[in-house]
Amino acid sequence: MAILGFDVGGSSIKFSVMSEEGQILRKGSILTPDNLEDFYSELVAAKEGLAAAYELEGAAFSLPGAVDDEAGVIGGASALPYIHDFNIKKALEEKLGLPVTMENDANCAALGEVWLGAAKYCQDVVFLVIGSGVGGAVVKGRRVHHGCHLHGGEFGFMVVDDKGTVLSEAASTRALAEHVALAKGMDKDALNGKEVFELQANGDKIAQETIEDMYSQLARAVYNIQYSFDPELFVIGGAISEREDFVENITRHLHAILDKVGIARIRPQVTRAEFGNAANLIGAVYHFLQQKQ
């Protein structure tokens, strides 16, 4: 038996067939349709193309938004407004003819790392995704902690100063690029994160100071989460985390915080995510397996 996985994004839908042991047997991708009927049609076509070769026991979805697997509804908002605010889980089960589970994309990424990746030996983990914002997930006992409003892991909403600045505005890749561009008198969209790090490498003082502030903000967030949830491990994801020195520099700022707070003896353990873009599919399947138990 195998599980069909779908990772639904704003521009593409990745899919895979995976064994219960986590082996990827087949994978592919399609463009994300701009309406619900085509969305269903594309999913059904992908499923039918794979069902001839594999005995499928269910379909596992990674989706944007406030995903409520129990109710079958996706709240919040995303780049795909047509998937929200109705029982889409029931509709998917009817269209695909398979049992369906669904989970938020960041939560799936965390579960992928917990199942087979950087946190595979851990029970309690915090997953931080650094991208256009700061998001993530809280994992307790190897299961996602959603919170009563499905906002568990929305670390980007944490306030970092008296002005009401939130972490996504202070420590995301997008914020980094905007801050440097504005400080240089440029349009706020003139730079991207990669270009800011290139400026830093060439000795640009503004880029250096802004990157250091980002590390400091992320380290402060990690410290505060450590002393509120007390996880075994922090896993950092997002394209920026692939930089060789990224985790190292967050850890350097963590040590500086701990040196100032003499009473704090627990040193947060921080590592890089292993799976990158594949984590969502792996985690969606792990969620499916958990729901079977």
Side-chain angles (χ1 to χ4, degrees):
M1 298 288 282
I3 300 101
L4 177 60
F6 289 103
D7 176 19
V8 178
S11 59
S12 70
I13 300 172
K14 301 179 182 69
F15 60 87
S16 68
V17 177
M18 195 175 300
S19 72
E20 292 193 355
E21 294 71 41
Q23 179 184 4
I24 297 177
L25 307 173
R26 185 82 65 85
K27 62 181 178 179
S29 67
I30 51 180
L31 294 177
T32 304
D34 60 7
N35 64 83
L36 185 60
E37 288 308 312
D38 287 345
F39 177 74
Y40 290 145
S41 296
E42 292 287 355
L43 297 179
V44 170
K47 178 252 182 177
E48 290 179 347
L50 295 165
Y54 301 96
E55 186 178 359
L56 302 174
E57 61 176 303
F61 281 81
S62 166
L63 293 153
V67 179
D68 187 337
D69 188 38
E70 185 174 345
V73 177
I74 304 171
S78 74
L80 305 176
Y82 59 77
I83 68 173
H84 292 270
D85 300 322
F86 70 100
N87 195 330
I88 192 171
K89 179 177 179 178
K90 181 180 178 181
L92 289 169
E93 289 181 330
E94 291 173 352
K95 298 288 185 181
L96 296 172
L98 292 169
V100 166
T101 60
M102 57 187 202
E103 181 56 278
N104 167 266
D105 45 14
N107 290 343
C108 283
L111 288 173
E113 297 293 338
V114 166
W115 187 21
L116 299 171
K120 62 185 175 183
Y121 299 115
C122 299
Q123 294 291 315
D124 299 344
V125 178
V126 165
F127 187 72
L128 282 165
V129 184
I130 316 301
S132 58
V134 178
V138 175
V139 175
K140 177 68 175 174
R142 299 182 68 81
R143 290 180 177 270
V144 170
H145 170 72
H146 295 93
C148 67
H149 303 104
L150 301 178
H151 273 55
E154 292 289 352
F155 304 115
F157 286 90
M158 294 170 62
V159 175
V160 301
D161 60 25
D162 291 340
K163 299 176 183 177
T165 306
V166 296
L167 190 62
S168 284
E169 296 169 342
S172 65
T173 308
R174 172 187 55 79
L176 172 70
E178 288 182 0
H179 292 166
V180 172
L182 291 172
K184 288 180 168 295
M186 304 164 68
D187 183 87
K188 70 181 182 68
D189 298 320
L191 297 171
N192 59 39
K194 182 179 179 181
E195 290 168 336
V196 171
F197 278 96
E198 289 172 353
L199 287 170
Q200 178 206 34
N202 291 324
D204 187 280
K205 186 175 181 181
I206 291 174
Q208 290 173 346
E209 291 177 351
T210 310
I211 289 171
E212 283 298 309
D213 184 64
M214 178 186 66
Y215 289 140
S216 177
Q217 294 285 5
L218 290 172
R220 190 177 297 117
V222 167
Y223 173 87
N224 287 334
I225 297 166
Q226 181 70 60
Y227 279 88
S228 52
F229 175 56
D230 196 20
E232 298 163 72
L233 184 68
F234 288 82
V235 179
I236 309 294
I240 196 172
S241 71
E242 296 175 6
R243 293 186 57 84
E244 289 295 325
D245 62 348
F246 192 74
V247 167
E248 176 185 325
N249 280 306
I250 293 173
T251 301
R252 172 170 57 85
H253 279 268
L254 273 169
H255 290 168
I257 293 170
L258 289 162
D259 288 343
K260 294 176 183 176
V261 186
I263 197 172
R265 296 187 178 185
I266 299 168
R267 291 188 176 269
Q269 300 301 305
V270 185
T271 192
R272 181 187 302 112
E274 290 185 12
F275 288 134
N277 291 336
N280 291 15
L281 282 170
I282 296 168
V285 170
Y286 188 44
H287 174 68
F288 181 93
L289 295 172
Q290 287 182 330
Q291 298 307 103
K292 283 180 55 181
Q293 296 173 359

